[in-house]
């Protein structure tokens, strides 16, 4: 081998090694723990974390120490010394006040009772003449949350010289709802198969389960519902309970409880009974015994999530019983074990109603105060079904005697699915910040969800998971931000989406200011962009039939009217939109008077909800001075232009992002831009049949005919 060839060969190997080191597939999520390059920060962080005292000796304490060892080794290239008692050189202490009586006396203005079981402090203090940081809380779980919050400070390059942080979760139950089936398919999943490998459980615990637990604990999620709300009753059998118990054992040190979906007809399907009537004594006995069996396997089992009387699922309506009677049967079985029932309010009639948006309210409002104390009624953020934008669900504010749990969808069923960048923190914030006026001004959805408005001790928030077996967990790299945002807003529903986006970016991609500025701009405009190119001005439910992928405003003549698009947009020669005022379905009457007056009046109705509540002529004059038709067309065009802007922003920071993640996001942004044009062209051609008006200046002519778009049938659409 000649010298030139040898040098070339060595150079090639070095390039491969260098590329391998730089490759990043996104598996580590926001726990990248990138090396700290800033010399000042590096020196300060190293000095403050060289000697760590963790007095606890539990599985969770071991998790804390392991996480610190991993994170500090990667970020600071250091290996801290750990002790179980305070030493003269200790600079970081992680423990409860009961184990640290000397420290407890040195910290002022802390009510340990107020911290509860999960709240924590991060406090700078002087101890033995040395600058020391104390991460304190009443339980190991609180200390784990505090540790992750401290590591976030290092990841985002914050000053840690004078810390005074108190953080208390505002909701009690913060859970992911996995729509995972026992066969490992995932309903509305766009990131591969289910991560639960039931066949190999309970004997093999995949390392990914531990990383799943780490990720959730790092953002304060304390529960997981392992199974699909539409799944059969298999998971309640002894065969599966042994496997569920293995997952519960794995998650327990991370403060995560396991929950299961309970199929209402389980007593018949796996119990041999001839009825599932909730008022039948044998049925109640069967559930009592089944719950006792579950707790023998899983002593800290969280409880059940139930979908009943909806989309073909069995429920109490089958026996002329109420939703409260159905929920209370399960609640009574769980009460001796302190378990809870999360009873979904997504209930609508088997017959097409006058307006589906009214049904959950009509079903549940009369039952306010009739549920057992350990029941949370789980309500979607809007009354239809996870649309790109909906007004808040009218049940929020309508049931003051019943704790209502928010259900957000993290997976993007109606939002471009697996390839569209849509930062849902903006959507979540928009809903939570909305004033319901239920008890006067300031009665926000957030105050109802966290229980503070009506003094409920039980509160919660659920997010329909977007997690799968893809190496980056969520399919789209930026899909991770929606998982992260859900956790942060479940912990504190008043947190800013903009701050969450910035935090996630710094932890996930690094602290480069140009990257953070441009990527944050992409994220914060992404939700408005998708609303513009899909369902502007209050349009809704005009997606493709069944799979909900791509535009389908022409969908009609199905076996249920309210599963069609024409039912919702009601486009005709006289206009477009769904009249929900007193002259129409009167769904608006389900809201407080202040909301009714505001939304019924065309002068005060927010234009983002205009066609949700009003059917208007095509030449209706908008606040911009444009006709309604022109405004619709210009919004579709704006959405396309916004995706182009996102694409250009990403391209401009190519040199600030590792190649593997950069390339994937770039490809997905191009797909999103192309599909935004597909949405614009297909919808405008369809609606133009009725408006009979030309496209306004600035909106290009569609590339194909309406017939082309209507006859395009995408194959192998994921998520079913």
């Amino acid at each position: 081998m000649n010298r030139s060839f040898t040098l070339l060969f060595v150079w090639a190997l070095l390039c491969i090694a260098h590329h391998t080191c730089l490759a990043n597939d996104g598996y580590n999520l926001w726990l990248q723990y990138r090396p700290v390059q800033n010399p000042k920060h590096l020196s300060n962080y190293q000095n403050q974390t060289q000697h760590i005292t963790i007095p606890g000796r539990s599985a969770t304490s071991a998790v804390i120490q392991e996480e610190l060892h991993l994170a500090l080794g990667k970020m600071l290239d250091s290996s801290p010394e750990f002790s179980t008692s305070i030493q003269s050189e200790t600079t970081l202490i992680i423990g409860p006040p009961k184990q640290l009586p000397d420290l407890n006396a040195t910290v002022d203005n802390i009510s340990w009772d107020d911290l509860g079981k999960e709240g924590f402090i991060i406090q700078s203090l002087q101890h033995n003449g040395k600058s020391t940081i104390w991460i304190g809380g009443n339980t190991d779980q609180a200390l784990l949350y505090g540790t992750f919050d401290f590591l976030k400070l290092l990841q985002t390059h914050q000053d840690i010289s004078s810390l005074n942080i108190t953080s208390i979760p505002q909701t009690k139950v913060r859970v992911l709802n996995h729509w995972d089936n026992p066969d490992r398919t995932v309903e509305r999943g766009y990131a591969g198969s289910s991560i639960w490998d039931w066949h190999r459980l309970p004997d093999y615990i995949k390392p990914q389960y531990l990383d799943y637990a780490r990720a959730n604990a790092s953002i304060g999620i304390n529960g997981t519902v392992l199974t699909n709300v539409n799944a059969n009753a298999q998971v309640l059998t002894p065969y599966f309970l042994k496997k569920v118990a293995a997952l519960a054992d794995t998650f327990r040190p991370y403060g995560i409880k396991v929950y299961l979906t309970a199929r209402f007809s389980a007593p018949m399907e796996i119990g041999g009974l001839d009825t599932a009537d909730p008022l039948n004594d044998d049925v109640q006995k069967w559930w009592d015994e089944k719950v006792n069996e579950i707790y023998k396997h899983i002593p800290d089992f969280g409880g059940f999530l139930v979908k009943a009387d909806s989309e073909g699922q069995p429920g109490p309506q089958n026996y002329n019983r109420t939703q409260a009677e159905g929920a209370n049967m399960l609640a009574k079985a769980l009460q001796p074990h302190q378990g809870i029932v999360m009873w979904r309010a997504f209930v609508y009639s088997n017959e097409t109603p006058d307006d589906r948006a009214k049904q959950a309210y009509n079903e549940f409002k009369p039952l306010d105060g009739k549920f057992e104390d350990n029941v949370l009624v789980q309500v979607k953020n809007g009354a239809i079904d996870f649309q790109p934008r909906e007004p808040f669900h009218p049940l929020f504010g309508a049931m003051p005697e019943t704790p209502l749990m928010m259900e957000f969808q993290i997976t993007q069923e109606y939002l471009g699915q697996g390839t569209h960048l849509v930062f849902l923190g903006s959507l979540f914030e928009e809903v939570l910040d909305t004033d319901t006026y239920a008890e006067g001004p300031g009665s926000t959805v957030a105050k109802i969800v966290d229980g503070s408005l009506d003094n409920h001790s039980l509160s919660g928030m659920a997010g329909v998971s977007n997690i799968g077996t893809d190496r980056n967990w969520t399919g789209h790299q930026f899909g991770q931000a929606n998982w992260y945002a859900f956790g942060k807003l479940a912990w504190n529903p008043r947190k800013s989406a903009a701050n969450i986006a910035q935090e996630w970016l710094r932890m996930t991609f690094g602290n480069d200011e140009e990257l953070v500025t441009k990527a944050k701009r992409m994220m914060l405009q992404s939700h408005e962009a998708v609303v513009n190119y899909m369902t502007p001005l209050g349009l809704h439910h005009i997606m493709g039939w069944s799979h909900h992928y791509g535009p389908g405003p022409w969908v009609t003549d199905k076996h249920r009217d309210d599963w069609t698009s024409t039912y919702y947009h009601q486009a005709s020669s006289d206009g477009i939109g769904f009249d929900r005022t007193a002259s129409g379905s009167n769904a608006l009457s389900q809201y407080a008077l202040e909301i009714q007056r505001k939304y019924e009046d065309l002068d005060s109705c927010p234009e983002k909800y205009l066609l949700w509540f009003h059917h208007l002529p095509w030449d209706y004059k908008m606040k911009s001075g444009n006709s309604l038709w022109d405004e619709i067309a210009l919004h579709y065009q704006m959405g396309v232009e916004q995706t182009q802007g996102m694409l250009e922003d990403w391209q401009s920071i190519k040199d600030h992002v590792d190649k593997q993640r950069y390339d994937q996001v770039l490809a997905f942004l191009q797909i999103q831009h192309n599909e935004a044009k597909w949405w614009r062209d297909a919808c405008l051609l369809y609606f133009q049949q009725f408006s009979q008006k030309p496209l306004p200046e600035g909106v290009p002519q569609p590339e194909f005919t309406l017939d082309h778009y209507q006859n395009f049938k995408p194959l192998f659409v994921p998520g079913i």
Side-chain angles (χ1 to χ4, degrees), residues 448-504:
I448 294 166
V449 172
D450 69 17
S452 62
L453 188 67
D454 300 305
N455 297 314
H456 292 302
S457 59
L458 183 60
S459 61
M461 194 181 296
V464 180
S465 166
N466 63 342
I467 296 166
T469 51
D470 281 9
R471 272 292 296 176
N472 66 14
W473 299 83
T474 59
H476 200 306
Q477 298 285 349
F478 277 77
Q480 299 175 2
N482 296 331
W483 177 8
Y484 185 88
F486 168 77
K488 290 296 182 177
L489 284 165
W491 183 279
N492 180 4
R494 295 161 187 80
K495 194 171 174 67
S496 158
N499 290 342
I500 291 171
Q502 178 165 295
E503 193 175 271
W504 177 80

Side-chain angles (χ1 to χ4, degrees), residues 16-26 32 658-661:
I16 292 170
H18 178 68
H19 178 75
T20 302
C21 290
L22 292 180
N24 190 331
D25 59 14
Q32 297 285 323
D658 52 275
K659 180 175 173 20
Q660 187 169 350
R661 290 189 294 177

Side-chain angles (χ1 to χ4, degrees), residues 101 159 394 428 431 543 554 616:
D159 181 5
F428 301 161
V431 175
M543 287 72 182
W554 45 78
L616 297 171

